Amino acid sequence: MDSVYEALVKIVGKDHVSNQPEELFIYSWDLGTTEPHRPDYAISPRTTEEIQKIVRLANKERIPIVPLGGGLSLAGLAVPFKGGMLLDLKRMDSIIEVNERARYALVECGVSQGQLTAYLERHYPHLTHSEPGAPPAATIAGNVAIHGQGDLAHPYGFNSDMINGLEIVLPTGEICLFGSCATGVGWFTLHPLPDVGLFLGWNGTTGIITKVSIRLFPCKKIRGIGMFVVADEELVPEIIYKITHTQMAEDIVAASQAIPPFTSELQHFTINIAADSEKELEFKLEMIFDDTLGEYIREGEGGFLGFIRGLQKPQISKTADWRKGGGFEYVGSIMPIEKYPECYRRGKEISERHGIPYTVLGRCIGAAHAMMFSWTYAFNRADEETIKHAREALHETDDLVLELGGTIWKPGVYGQKLVMERLNANTLNLMGKVKQLLDPNGIMNPGNWEVR
Amino acid sequence: MALADFKYGDTIHRCFRCGYCKFPVNWTDVNNCPAYARFRMETYSCGGRLWLTRAWLSDEIGWTDHFAHIMFSCTACKNCEVKCPLRFNVDILNMITAAKGEMVERGMIPAGVKEFLENIQLHGNPYGMAKAKRGEWMEGTGLLPYQGQDYLYYVGCVGSYDTRAQEATKALGAVMQKAGVSFGALGKEELCDGNEVHMMGEKGLFEMVAEKNIAQFGKLGVRGIITLSPHAYNAIKNIYPWYGGQFEVLHQTQVLRDLIRDNKLDISKGFNARVTFHDPCFLGRWSGEYEAARAILRALPGLTLIEMEKNRDSALCCGGGGGNFYIDFLGGSADSPSRRRVREAYETGANVLAVACPTCLTMLEDALKSEELEGKLVVKDISEIVAEACGIAQ
């Protein structure tokens, strides 16, 4: 009998650990183009203490651990490259606390974006969180762990900038708290304690996030999307800059895609606007679309396409079916907004070279401080040739990001290597020391950020 | 069968596994797929099953008992189909049923499933009980056998054999009798409707059952059928037409709604309770009937209807569909969908959980006991509630 399996059964119960070929098959796959690698065990723990015991077992047995949230990064960040224990964290799905006055939610690591959205809509309709474009099954913890952004990125920045506190199981099994919660006074702020922010952007190689306190924001009674279009991509940076100056929008996204053809080569803006009254809404619409964007309309350079009340729930998974193929992956980057035109043109070239209808998108972060620019490549899961093309396009795009002066957002293994080749030597050295200190046995998500 | 020969071989790869299939419509949680709620492994989600099926038909994985358990634990509740945002969503549950069918054809099925199907073949019911006992529920009811009345009262296996469900069967009969509905039942001559056989992918057996029923109904001159169970309603209304069976089919809730609306029932005794209603999958998501039961409950004096957060097309399945009320692949845990569902009902503050399905009735009543909610919450079929409002002694 497999003693590790037996030990895992003792920790989480037999229903929540498997070494059966079916679970090992499913958890070997990322949803993007990354080649599958089978874990030896799939485990769905329920508590932090169970994770602690699993981590201690993994250290004792020198078995890798790969934490998995919603599994929707698409970049192969939770593929068990070296086997081991795949921890599906979605069963840890309690919303522990919503502090209405301090505007934060304390959630376990398996709470999905959709779950928090639904909970707030029902119990705290005047509060919202920054919801990413991913399907609602994406988790809050997974999203902050990869420095995700959401539909409040323009006013409030990265979702990882909205963290008020973290509970982490370290690779050696200790449970650590970060932020005000560490002093036992609640989960309302991450600052001003000494900065030991060693867990975000590391793809689970330095610890497992088990709880997150995430900031909530006012949710106005009316929310909707204003749409604007221009033909000239060179206009996009200045338009974003001007809209951010109004401070009237919640989210600013510019996008272009080959399908449907009538939208191809046009740059479409979706601008989320929120208001508590018709008067406020009218004022904001006027400020943005008349006073700010009116000149483009008058000059014949752009067009107002209307305002739709209500925020359409993101259904990005539809992208996967554009080629009736069930697959897509994208490269995300954090990029100066001025690079939008070149990002668009070069991305379109890469897509065309690989026979993939192009899809690009830029989301404004902060007051035009940067944008998340993404290039999406659809593929047919049943056609190896299209997967190969998508993979090559992704790698070319990783190279492009760095060439254009951006940084790769949540890079996969290929992108991580590119980044590490260019990293400041002392920074890389420090990363190695941190990794060695926190994970002396190298069990955490091996294959990712291999800095040693 | 190779993937290329599978009916959905050119489509099944299109599932992205984005996870919408696990949600209710408002994303409250990821537990609206009953098997996923029970096991919380991706394999047990709709997407997991589709990926595994494709891998099996491509010889990337072999058949195992565990694989079969994963497939047959699907209750065919249709939550996945309703929630999937992609264009091929109409086929995703069919893909799972077809994969079950492939296992059936190869003889690769779990023991419980084999027993279920054998019992249908041998005895005309999944329990393996004697055909002669099927009509025992009629004894002492004063209900008539079907002899050309306006409607055939089709009870189904659960309503005929399960002692708890029989109470609902009798209640509906008594209410219809009191309202003067012209109907009769088949008693021991009744045969399984085959709905679960169909959902288990056993096409041959289903065809046999359907054809026997259609022939019997035809021979008896049946034109209209009233079903106690949404499972029978689905089979006879939605599937039998493929085999030439064309009947006017009504579910009990539609009949009771009309009787109340047309003042054919004296409901003045009312029903003093806070009631929450559990939508049966084969009535709701499969047949689009969400309002009949609610119209009945709203009409009863003294009754306060409280909705569970997950209602209508977002209702959590009780876990009994696809034959799971018998094979019980989802039982044995506080995460079992039936136990989750009674907790959801209890959280509303209701003291009665109303159902409109004998399978839901038995599943949820068992769950109530496991959750130790007896005395705090009662599960009743809507027929029993109406019977009480009419002053019919139970």
Side-chain angles (χ1 to χ4, degrees):
Chain A
M1 185 56 77
D2 180 337
S3 62
V4 173
Y5 175 76
E6 291 298 309
L8 289 167
V9 168
K10 278 186 186 160
I11 296 170
V12 296
K14 69 177 172 56
D15 282 348
H16 303 296
V17 57
S18 174
N19 56 3
Q20 298 294 308
E22 291 77 12
E23 277 75 32
L24 303 188
F25 173 84
I26 283 292
Y27 287 110
S28 70
W29 283 93
D30 185 72
L31 308 186
T33 62
T34 305
E35 295 280 1
H37 294 266
R38 290 198 184 203
D40 298 300
Y41 310 94
I43 310 152
S44 56
R46 178 63 197 90
T47 66
T48 300
E49 289 69 31
E50 287 178 1
I51 291 178
Q52 182 180 43
K53 288 176 187 169
I54 292 166
V55 169
R56 285 179 173 158
L57 175 67
N59 271 290
K60 184 178 153 213
E61 301 289 342
R62 301 289 198 272
I63 297 173
I65 291 186
V66 179
L68 172 74
L72 291 158
S73 80
L74 311 185
L77 306 185
V79 171
F81 293 110
K82 298 183 181 173
M85 302 175 182
L86 189 296
L87 256 58
D88 182 339
L89 299 169
K90 290 191 285 295
R91 204 158 68 93
M92 295 179 60
D93 60 358
S94 294
I95 296 172
I96 299 165
E97 178 195 3
V98 170
N99 189 314
E100 189 175 3
R101 292 294 169 173
R103 289 197 177 112
Y104 69 81
L106 174 61
V107 301
E108 287 186 319
C109 55
V111 169
S112 70
Q113 301 286 343
Q115 187 183 346
L116 184 59
T117 299
Y119 188 86
L120 294 175
E121 281 178 357
R122 181 164 196 201
H123 301 287
Y124 301 95
H126 51 289
L127 294 175
T128 188
H129 73 294
S130 186
E131 194 168 306
T139 61
I140 304 284
N143 182 257
V144 298
I146 60 169
H147 289 302
Q149 324 84 39
D151 58 8
L152 295 174
H154 159 42
Y156 303 113
F158 287 87
N159 284 4
S160 48
D161 294 332
M162 301 169 189
I163 294 172
N164 278 348
L166 291 171
E167 179 189 83
I168 308 272
V169 177
L170 298 182
T172 41
E174 298 90 338
I175 300 170
C176 276
L177 296 173
F178 298 95
S180 53
C181 59
T183 66
V185 296
W187 292 74
F188 63 95
T189 181
L190 188 63
H191 306 310
L193 297 172
D195 177 16
V196 280
L198 305 171
F199 307 99
L200 305 178
W202 281 86
N203 301 351
T205 58
T206 55
I208 301 169
I209 298 173
T210 47
K211 289 191 185 82
V212 184
S213 171
I214 188 90
R215 286 181 193 165
L216 305 175
F217 300 95
C219 182
K220 289 180 175 275
K221 291 172 187 163
I222 307 165
R223 296 178 90 185
I225 303 171
M227 290 166 291
F228 189 72
V229 63
V230 295
D232 184 356
E233 67 270 17
E234 293 291 344
L235 295 174
V236 172
E238 70 177 49
I239 288 174
I240 292 177
Y241 188 78
K242 287 177 179 175
I243 297 171
T244 58
H245 183 80
T246 68
Q247 299 186 59
M248 294 289 158
E250 282 193 339
D251 193 19
I252 307 166
V253 172
S256 187
Q257 58 191 40
I259 297 172
F262 73 88
T263 68
S264 180
E265 299 184 355
L266 299 178
Q267 311 301 320
H268 287 82
F269 291 84
T270 54
I271 304 159
N272 289 13
I273 299 169
D276 274 328
S277 66
E278 294 297 332
K279 189 177 166 187
E280 183 185 354
L281 178 65
E282 188 59 33
F283 176 71
K284 287 182 170 176
L285 287 170
E286 197 176 310
M287 285 285 288
I288 292 173
F289 292 103
D290 294 346
D291 299 353
T292 305
L293 301 179
E295 62 179 289
Y296 299 99
I297 299 169
R298 286 190 293 276
E299 295 297 323
E301 294 171 318
F304 175 57
L305 300 180
F307 178 78
I308 299 171
R309 284 171 192 257
L311 299 185
Q312 191 188 7
K313 304 287 188 189
Q315 294 199 349
I316 196 168
S317 44
K318 286 181 179 173
T319 307
D321 206 38
W322 284 350
R323 304 184 80 171
K324 297 187 177 177
F328 78 97
E329 185 176 335
Y330 65 96
V331 168
S333 68
I334 306 304
M335 188 73 76
I337 288 177
E338 67 191 32
K339 298 286 185 182
Y340 183 98
E342 203 168 356
C343 288
Y344 157 70
R345 287 192 293 265
R346 299 284 297 277
K348 190 162 168 284
E349 285 169 15
I350 293 173
S351 289
E352 285 167 359
R353 200 155 54 240
H354 291 280
I356 302 170
Y358 82 89
T359 303
V360 298
L361 176 151
R363 165 175 264 158
C364 176
I365 300 171
H369 295 113
M371 65 176 169
M372 190 291 291
F373 193 95
S374 66
W375 298 260
T376 297
Y377 303 105
F379 58 86
N380 185 330
R381 209 174 284 285
D383 182 346
E384 276 300 324
E385 191 62 19
T386 67
I387 297 172
K388 179 173 159 284
H389 270 294
R391 197 177 286 130
E392 287 171 2
L394 290 158
H395 290 174
E396 288 171 30
T397 308
D398 278 340
D399 291 322
L400 176 66
V401 171
L402 297 172
E403 181 195 328
L404 293 180
T407 59
I408 305 172
W409 171 47
K410 60 176 173 69
V413 171
Y414 179 85
Q416 289 169 26
K417 285 178 183 158
L418 293 182
V419 170
M420 286 190 286
E421 283 168 14
R422 288 161 176 79
L423 261 184
N424 173 286
N426 290 333
T427 306
L428 192 63
N429 188 35
L430 177 62
M431 282 176 69
K433 286 179 181 174
V434 168
K435 174 68 177 168
Q436 175 63 32
L437 176 71
L438 290 176
D439 184 17
N441 294 320
I443 61 167
M444 297 303 298
N445 204 4
N448 276 274
W449 292 124
E450 292 276 12
V451 287
R452 282 185 294 192
Chain B
M1 181 194 281
L3 180 63
D5 300 320
F6 186 57
K7 183 178 178 185
Y8 302 100
D10 61 350
T11 319
I12 196 165
H13 64 275
R14 289 168 67 182
C15 170
F16 178 61
R17 281 184 47 216
C18 58
Y20 279 93
C21 54
K22 296 183 267 188
F23 281 96
V25 73
N26 71 352
W27 308 351
T28 308
D29 57 36
V30 290
N31 293 321
N32 233 40
C33 167
Y36 182 73
R38 166 68 178 84
F39 294 104
R40 296 301 293 263
M41 288 278 187
E42 287 297 316
T43 42
Y44 282 88
S45 68
C46 175
R49 288 190 180 98
L50 297 183
W51 281 46
L52 287 174
T53 297
R54 182 164 176 255
W56 178 49
L57 295 174
S58 308
D59 291 327
E60 290 178 67
I61 60 167
W63 183 92
T64 65
D65 268 336
H66 183 57
F67 179 35
H69 187 276
I70 290 167
M71 297 305 289
F72 284 93
S73 66
C74 169
T75 65
C77 75
K78 225 177 192 181
N79 183 71
C80 52
E81 184 179 309
V82 172
K83 305 305 171 346
C84 173
L86 300 178
R87 284 170 293 181
F88 59 91
N89 58 8
V90 292
D91 278 332
I92 58 176
L93 183 54
N94 293 335
M95 292 177 197
I96 293 170
T97 306
K100 290 180 189 175
E102 183 60 21
M103 289 187 184
V104 168
E105 283 211 4
R106 297 190 196 185
M108 295 170 156
I109 52 175
V113 175
K114 185 168 188 294
E115 188 178 281
F116 185 104
L117 298 172
E118 271 180 5
N119 284 338
I120 300 284
Q121 166 78 336
L122 275 170
H123 306 288
N125 69 79
Y127 302 108
M129 294 178 74
K131 282 182 185 173
K133 292 182 178 294
R134 191 171 185 114
E136 285 182 358
W137 67 269
M138 288 179 75
E139 290 170 10
T141 61
L143 300 183
L144 298 172
Y146 184 78
Q147 293 169 326
Q149 293 96 325
D150 291 348
Y151 290 98
L152 166 67
Y153 177 21
Y154 184 87
V155 176
C157 298
V158 182
S160 296
Y161 287 104
D162 184 277
T163 51
R164 174 64 187 94
Q166 282 175 354
E167 294 173 36
T169 308
K170 292 177 199 172
L172 179 60
V175 171
M176 292 197 295
Q177 196 174 38
K178 189 164 185 175
V181 177
S182 166
F183 73 97
L186 290 173
K188 66 182 173 59
E189 301 303 322
E190 190 182 274
L191 178 66
C192 177
D193 55 74
N195 190 64
E196 308 319 293
V197 177
H198 183 79
M199 300 306 156
M200 287 172 155
E202 192 12 310
K203 272 181 163 178
L205 182 57
F206 177 78
E207 278 178 20
M208 197 167 76
V209 168
E211 284 168 3
K212 274 188 187 177
N213 274 327
I214 292 166
Q216 186 186 25
F217 298 163
K219 192 175 165 189
L220 293 169
V222 172
R223 294 174 307 280
I225 298 173
I226 295 168
T227 72
L228 174 76
S229 167
H231 296 241
Y233 178 74
N234 179 62
I236 302 171
K237 184 180 174 68
N238 299 330
I239 313 176
Y240 282 17
W242 306 351
Y243 300 91
Q246 300 282 352
F247 308 97
E248 178 200 3
V249 190
L250 296 169
H251 181 250
Q252 59 153 317
T253 51
Q254 296 165 329
V255 175
L256 296 174
R257 174 201 59 196
D258 292 350
L259 292 174
I260 292 170
R261 182 195 61 200
D262 298 340
N263 296 316
K264 298 275 177 60
L265 287 170
D266 175 6
I267 52 171
S268 58
K269 292 207 181 308
F271 191 81
N272 286 309
R274 296 186 306 280
V275 177
T276 191
F277 177 65
H278 166 75
D279 291 273
C281 303
F282 285 101
L283 186 62
R285 280 185 286 260
W286 278 87
S287 303
E289 178 59 90
Y290 297 107
E291 298 309 320
R294 290 177 170 80
I296 296 165
L297 296 171
R298 286 197 194 98
L300 299 182
L303 189 150
T304 304
L305 178 61
I306 312 167
E307 292 288 359
M308 284 183 269
E309 185 173 7
K310 295 199 269 186
N311 61 61
R312 294 180 171 81
D313 69 352
S314 287
L316 172 64
C317 169
C318 73
N324 275 278
F325 69 90
Y326 180 81
I327 62 175
D328 197 26
F329 284 1
L330 299 177
S333 164
D335 289 327
S336 297
S338 55
R339 291 180 63 178
R340 286 177 177 273
R341 194 57 170 161
V342 293
R343 291 200 296 271
E344 288 174 7
Y346 183 63
E347 283 165 11
T348 65
N351 47 23
V352 174
L353 169 55
V355 299
C357 170
T359 304
C360 298
L361 179 65
T362 57
M363 294 292 294
L364 296 174
E365 187 149 298
D366 287 348
L368 194 79
K369 292 168 189 161
S370 301
E371 288 290 311
E372 298 180 349
L373 287 172
E374 290 165 296
K376 298 172 184 168
L377 184 68
V378 178
V379 184
K380 280 186 180 289
D381 192 79
I382 207 156
S383 57
E384 299 173 298
I385 292 172
V386 173
E388 280 191 48
C390 294
I392 296 170
Q394 298 287 301

